[in-house]
Amino acid sequence: MTHVNSRQKITIKDVARKADCGIATASRVLNRSGPTSAEARRRVEEAARELGFSFSAIGRALQSSRSMTIGCLVPSLANPVFAEAVQGVQEALSKTGYQLLIASSNYDGESDCAAIATLLDKGVEGLVLTMVAPERSAALDRVRARGIPLSLMFHDPIDGLPTAHVDNFEAAREVARRFADLGHRRTAFLALRFSSSDRSRNRYTGFCDACRACGLPDPALIELSEAEANTPELLATLLGKLDGLTAIFASNDFLAIAVQKAVRLRGKKVPQDLSVVGFDGIEIGRLLDVPLATIETAPDAIGRQAAQTLLDLIQGKDCAQQPPLPFNFRAGATLAPPRPEFRDDDQGATWPPSVHSLETDLKQG
């Protein structure tokens, strides 16, 4: 029988001795870092439980030269989409001995760089990132130069950078087809920080592509700041400038919900006066008085896939780019045919209107 002084710190040697195996075998089991037999795994895990050797002790007892930490950077934790993705990352890392350090950039490129620098200073062994512009990030270049494994979330594929994502282009095409099938012609794409989000830009490109394929005019492009998106009165004024608009595709569900409130402020109704479709499928969209039509994704699955890819890279495995994860169009109740008077709008004002002139009008108004 193995005896361990309860006053002493339990080490990997104690676990290996009790499990009657080598230290390397105990390390592989507890750190899930290599193949072992089912019997050896059972003995090691049982010994660890009996001795009270927790996974949080692995970094101290096993990997004195390693931090056993993973850095995770997202644009916002206020948006449930990113919070769910972080939860997925955490789930994939559970029982691996790795701890997660989380940072948020508020959709700011300089904050991206600062956060990555801080995570590197903490000695993280890998990074899971959602960034403003990974394709031109100097901070990301430094990460790669140092040979630190990294995996992206939500971004469309970039050469040499594995990413967990949905096909933003094709998902947006589905929205355009839904609009066209119901008879909408004057549409708009509403974006938050359009210039700094590749996801938003790819959704707009796919939306435009399918509008043209369906014989619709190009959608109006409207970009808002966070402050503008959080000011329903301003958004209501903007919508009033878009004469004849019958359908809006918002680049995320938060924006789509803001549009619904702005429409109410104008004394109008969704979807009778304006159809609205979002993107992401956050749960609160189901709970609205008028449930939101949206592209439904699985952020937790995106987080799990990104984390698993990173773990594989840390272990030296070759990781090919995975295919996009599935999306689903959730019908909701905010999408309906346009009013009859808007079904034939070939005459009248040019569509799409100039977004620049709209912004100028708002500033002068």
Side-chain angles (χ1 to χ4, degrees), residues 299-354:
D300 56 335
I302 289 176
R304 285 193 298 270
Q305 185 184 93
Q308 186 56 58
T309 295
L310 182 64
L311 291 172
D312 290 343
L313 289 170
I314 290 173
Q315 294 177 14
K317 299 179 182 178
D318 291 330
C319 293
Q321 173 60 52
Q322 296 294 310
L325 289 162
F327 64 85
N328 176 61
F329 186 87
R330 192 169 78 201
T334 58
L335 178 60
R339 291 185 180 278
E341 60 265 32
F342 291 119
R343 285 183 173 273
D344 184 3
D345 63 355
D346 289 337
Q347 298 180 354
T350 301
W351 194 267
S354 167

Side-chain angles (χ1 to χ4, degrees), residues 208-290:
C208 288
D209 181 81
C211 282
R212 293 164 186 166
C214 293
L216 305 184
D218 284 351
L221 172 60
I222 310 165
E223 182 180 9
L224 300 179
S225 67
E226 282 90 347
E228 291 168 334
N230 291 324
T231 309
E233 294 79 8
L234 179 59
L235 186 52
T237 301
L238 175 59
L239 294 177
K241 301 287 185 178
L242 294 166
D243 185 44
L245 176 69
T246 67
I248 281 187
F249 176 26
S251 61
N252 65 49
D253 284 349
F254 272 172
L255 285 178
I257 292 170
V259 168
Q260 292 187 69
K261 184 172 183 179
V263 170
R264 289 196 299 272
L265 288 176
R266 296 186 62 229
K268 305 289 185 178
K269 293 182 179 180
V270 173
Q272 292 90 335
D273 298 298
L274 182 69
S275 285
V276 181
V277 173
F279 198 108
D280 288 326
I282 62 176
E283 189 60 28
I284 194 173
R286 296 178 183 272
L287 305 178
L288 300 174
D289 291 341
V290 183

Side-chain angles (χ1 to χ4, degrees), residues 119-135:
L119 292 170
L120 293 179
D121 288 343
K122 297 293 184 182
V124 295
E125 297 185 31
L127 291 164
V128 177
L129 306 170
T130 305
M131 305 176 62
V132 169
E135 70 282 358

